[in-house]
Amino acid sequence: MPAGTRWTGASILLLLLLAFPLVFTQPHPRHVVITIFLFAMLAQAWNLLAGYCGQISLGHAVFFGAGAYTSTLLVKYFDLSPWLGMVVGAVVAVAVSQLIGYPVFRLRGHYFAIATIAVGEIVNTLMINWDWAGGARGLFVPIKRPDSFLNLQFHQSKQNYYYIALGLLLLAFWITRKVERSRMGYYLRAIREDQDAAASLGIPVAAYKQRAMALSAALTALGGSFYAQYILFIDPDSVFPTALSILICLVAVLGGIGTLWGPLIGAAILIPLGEWTRIYFGGTGKAMDLLIYGALIMLVSIIQPGGIMALAQRGRRRTG
């Protein structure tokens, strides 16, 4: 597809997204799209490490929770602005990612994924038993009135949350685009294809894995901080569960890992589907929502393992 056509399509999409909350004024449709933006951003962050570098992490909830808890604790105990908490949360997540990355990057393939699950479970257990951080009871974010951009709280409407979530998503897209076109992007793809061959060519494999992990963790923590300020309550079950890490992974896999647009496409399909199945089947007591959700993922994995983006690329090759 010519570059001009791509930019025209992207500009139209952006205009539609900007106009959405002006047309749909009810809270629920805005909430669904905010959730799509949030998970597209989280999946894009995961994509930097797993899609471009080939390191399949199933413990990204650790970074999400680090961002959520850091910003909330700073607001609760020190009355700092959540925006500053977002930055500090990202720094904390980067520090945690470097501590985790050093031992787990020595593992490969399934062993790496299993190790990230174990790290996630350990951190979850620690947070459940940390009373100063609310323990298993969790924490409420202190309510600030009136609505304030500085305090990142808007009680009258979700419109401001919508635009902030869109801004975070665009930031994740911009960073991924920059990485994709940079030397780092080429090195990460080389590591993904064959890290031994990449090392033999002089690429510092361990250092670039750590950089990818740090960037991915920082973006994930920004998402966690936003989630805490949006929901105004966090506990270990909502921000540290392995299920959250798996959902972030599934969004990227469904859309197409290692691609720029895959996470957004995956989130645009999976999040509304999850919302629909939860509303219509979640209350039956038969877990029908989870069955439908899982069946769709299995079908995509078997029929189109490259995700929706691979299907679109195949269609373009046939028509081109």
Side-chain angles (χ1 to χ4, degrees), residues 180-200:
E180 195 179 55
R181 296 293 182 89
S182 68
R183 176 185 295 181
M184 180 179 176
Y186 292 114
Y187 282 1
L188 293 182
R189 286 192 285 270
I191 293 169
R192 179 189 64 193
E193 296 303 323
D194 189 333
Q195 68 175 31
D196 292 329
S200 69

Side-chain angles (χ1 to χ4, degrees), residues 296-307:
L296 177 69
I297 296 303
M298 288 173 63
L299 282 173
V300 171
S301 302
I302 294 170
I303 298 172
Q304 190 57 53

Side-chain angles (χ1 to χ4, degrees), residues 4-18 261:
T5 306
R6 285 204 302 270
W7 280 110
T8 302
S11 300
I12 293 172
L13 175 62
L14 181 59
L15 287 174
L16 291 174
L17 292 177
L18 289 172
W261 292 96

Side-chain angles (χ1 to χ4, degrees), residues 12-46:
I12 293 172
L13 175 62
L14 181 59
L15 287 174
L16 291 174
L17 292 177
L18 289 172
F20 182 89
L22 306 178
V23 177
F24 296 91
T25 57
Q26 295 299 312
H28 186 254
R30 288 180 177 180
H31 170 72
V32 172
V33 180
I34 289 170
T35 309
I36 290 173
F37 290 162
L38 177 61
F39 274 90
M41 177 201 180
L42 298 175
Q44 193 68 276
W46 183 86

